[in-house]
Amino acid sequence: MTPSHNHTPPQFATGIRVWACAMLIYIVAVTARTSLGVSGVEAIERFGLTASGLALFAALQVGVYGCAQIPMGILLDRWGPRRLMTLGAVLVAIAQTEMAFSSSFMWAIIARILLGIGDATAFISVLRLLSSWFSIRHIPIFTQLTSIFGLFGQILSAGPFLMSLHQWGWSPAFCMTAAAALIVAFIAALGIRDSTQNTPSDSQVFPSVSPHVFRNPGTWAGFFAHWIGSGPPMTFTLLWGVPFMTLGMGMKPEQVSRMLIIFSVTNILFGPVMGIVSARMPKRRPHMIALSFTVIAAVWAWLLSSYSPPSVFAATCLVVALALGAVSSSLAFDIVRMTSPIHTLGTALSVANMGGFMATLTTMLTIGITLDALSGDEVLGWSHFRVAMSAQAFLWLIGIIGFVLTLIKARHVFFGRTTD
């Protein structure tokens, strides 16, 4: 039976203000998360990294983020979004300050671990706020808008952060993001309001999780939906997209920049449309996820079947397909809401969010290890990337199998008479 969400939402205008405050924290968290991606060359020089070393460095934060999702989801159900997001913003500030002054690889690793924990609080808290302040027909649209506005974090890291990195150096650039995180921590403490209903309880210092979350097939359907939808685009945008296009395809920096802009614009254009369709046709969500992933797999197969570097047009098709996958990955959270009661929703959302980041972690490491094994002392080129990027297929297969099996178990929701 589909859980009931028939509580009356508070005022829409108040919900908008709360969501806007939460979005500032999420944007800063994304900026901090993607700061290493745009400073990869400087990180290689500063810490003396190889390709697999850089992959490990980037994947570490993603791995910690993924592993922290369930503990943060449990705390979210117990403490509420306001306190959890305040704590997360403070951790992000500490992590970026430590990164600013790290001269050793070990201290930098510790900084990335703290960043992963702090970052893990933001997105799921925003999603939990949506379920508290907005009606069911508005939640899918605001879920897509949350992902879209999160792109501003990538824009800030590729714009102001990168400019300050080149103009003023490593330490000032990372200190700027640390200061921004402290500012939004105050905003979280003062501006975010947990719903007047379903108010978190303080009765447990060490909260426990309901076993229903892990027994619920809808939770795992969301996990694998996020795995196959979010894994490919995050792997591309967080680490391997720029090296693939520059070293593999031989594209110029301005062309690569244009591809990343196209990726962001496609997200912005398709996100609201996907949200509206999701709200109107909730039982079609699995079909939309399957269709978007099929497009991604087809475009990758087309590119990697070529023995010579593909054209710029092919790269454009790739980033558009990946953006479609990024948009469809948010449907994973709509699936979770269809099958989860409100008092365990934070934990269930965190499990689903973990899917894409665990896929990204394993894929980034697999590509980095494969590139090192293939290249040796050679300069990386198309032949190396062609094989390394093909290694993603095995991890995609895991996600597809998991998605199909969990959907079969949750078929009463999607193929029965119940509605969202």
Side-chain angles (χ1 to χ4, degrees):
M1 185 168 115
T2 304
S4 174
H5 297 282
N6 291 327
H7 62 282
T8 303
Q11 299 92 338
F12 186 81
T14 303
I16 291 289
R17 290 195 295 270
V18 170
W19 176 71
C21 290
M23 282 306 305
L24 291 177
I25 295 150
Y26 178 49
I27 289 170
V28 171
V30 173
T31 303
R33 178 198 308 167
T34 56
S35 59
L36 181 63
V38 300
S39 59
V41 175
E42 289 79 5
I44 289 174
E45 296 175 352
R46 187 178 181 90
F47 302 111
L49 302 176
T50 61
S52 56
L54 180 61
L56 175 62
F57 201 24
L60 178 66
Q61 186 265 334
V62 175
V64 171
Y65 180 105
C67 292
Q69 283 299 290
I70 292 177
M72 292 303 107
I74 297 172
L75 290 175
L76 176 59
D77 284 329
R78 179 56 52 183
W79 292 354
R82 180 178 62 84
R83 279 186 278 182
L84 192 65
M85 293 191 86
T86 302
L87 172 63
V90 171
L91 289 177
V92 169
I94 294 172
Q96 291 298 88
T97 301
E98 185 175 343
M99 180 65 79
F101 299 104
S102 293
S103 56
S104 69
F105 186 55
M106 182 57 64
W107 281 107
I109 285 179
I110 295 173
R112 296 299 287 182
I113 291 174
L114 288 176
L115 177 61
I117 297 173
D119 186 13
T121 66
F123 186 62
I124 58 173
S125 294
V126 178
L127 295 183
R128 182 63 177 80
L129 284 169
L130 295 183
S131 296
S132 298
W133 287 97
F134 297 102
S135 65
I136 287 175
R137 64 191 180 91
H138 289 131
I139 289 175
I141 299 172
F142 275 95
T143 300
Q144 291 293 342
L145 291 176
T146 297
S147 299
I148 289 171
F149 281 107
L151 293 172
F152 282 103
Q154 295 184 15
I155 294 172
L156 289 174
S157 64
F161 174 82
L162 188 58
M163 290 174 59
S164 63
L165 180 67
H166 291 160
Q167 186 170 355
W168 298 316
W170 181 276
S171 295
F174 279 91
C175 281
M176 285 177 58
T177 58
L182 281 179
I183 292 172
V184 297
F186 283 106
I187 293 175
L190 299 177
I192 293 179
R193 289 175 52 192
D194 296 327
S195 174
T196 54
Q197 300 187 38
N198 307 306
T199 303
S201 169
D202 295 320
S203 60
Q204 286 181 277
V205 177
F206 300 102
S208 59
V209 61
S210 169
H212 168 80
V213 173
F214 300 102
R215 291 198 302 262
N216 181 11
T219 301
W220 296 106
F223 174 91
F224 286 111
H226 204 244
W227 177 293
I228 62 177
S230 189
M234 281 204 297
T235 299
F236 192 84
T237 57
L238 288 182
L239 184 62
W240 290 119
V242 173
F244 173 75
M245 289 185 288
T246 54
L247 301 177
M249 298 182 65
M251 295 173 61
K252 298 178 181 179
E254 57 270 21
Q255 293 175 314
V256 172
S257 177
R258 195 176 302 123
M259 292 301 106
L260 297 178
I261 291 173
I262 291 173
F263 175 85
S264 299
V265 171
T266 305
N267 271 273
I268 293 170
L269 293 177
F270 279 99
V273 176
M274 188 73 76
I276 293 171
V277 174
S278 175
R280 293 184 177 180
M281 296 187 293
K283 292 188 178 183
R284 296 296 182 185
R285 289 163 182 166
H287 303 82
M288 291 186 280
I289 292 169
L291 176 61
S292 65
F293 178 76
T294 301
V295 172
I296 291 175
V299 174
W300 266 120
W302 170 44
L303 261 70
L304 299 179
S305 65
S306 174
Y307 288 98
S308 58
S311 64
V312 174
F313 172 75
T316 305
C317 293
L318 176 63
V319 296
V320 169
L322 290 172
L324 182 61
V327 168
S328 70
S329 68
S330 294
L331 299 177
F333 308 115
D334 295 329
I335 289 175
V336 169
R337 289 191 189 93
M338 293 177 72
T339 60
S340 301
I342 192 70
H343 65 279
T344 62
L345 185 57
T347 307
L349 289 171
S350 70
V351 173
N353 196 35
M354 184 174 64
F357 284 87
M358 297 308 292
T360 302
L361 165 67
T362 52
T363 306
M364 286 197 304
L365 287 175
T366 299
I367 292 173
I369 293 171
T370 305
L371 285 173
D372 275 349
L374 292 173
S375 63
D377 296 329
E378 299 177 7
V379 177
L380 291 173
W382 173 248
S383 61
H384 307 117
F385 277 101
R386 183 169 178 257
V387 176
M389 291 301 190
S390 299
Q392 299 178 90
F394 175 72
L395 298 168
W396 294 346
L397 182 61
I398 294 175
I400 293 170
I401 293 173
F403 187 51
V404 171
L405 292 179
T406 51
L407 276 182
I408 291 173
K409 292 184 178 181
R411 60 186 178 275
H412 63 284
V413 175
F414 299 102
F415 309 113
R417 293 185 178 181
T418 56
T419 58
D420 191 8

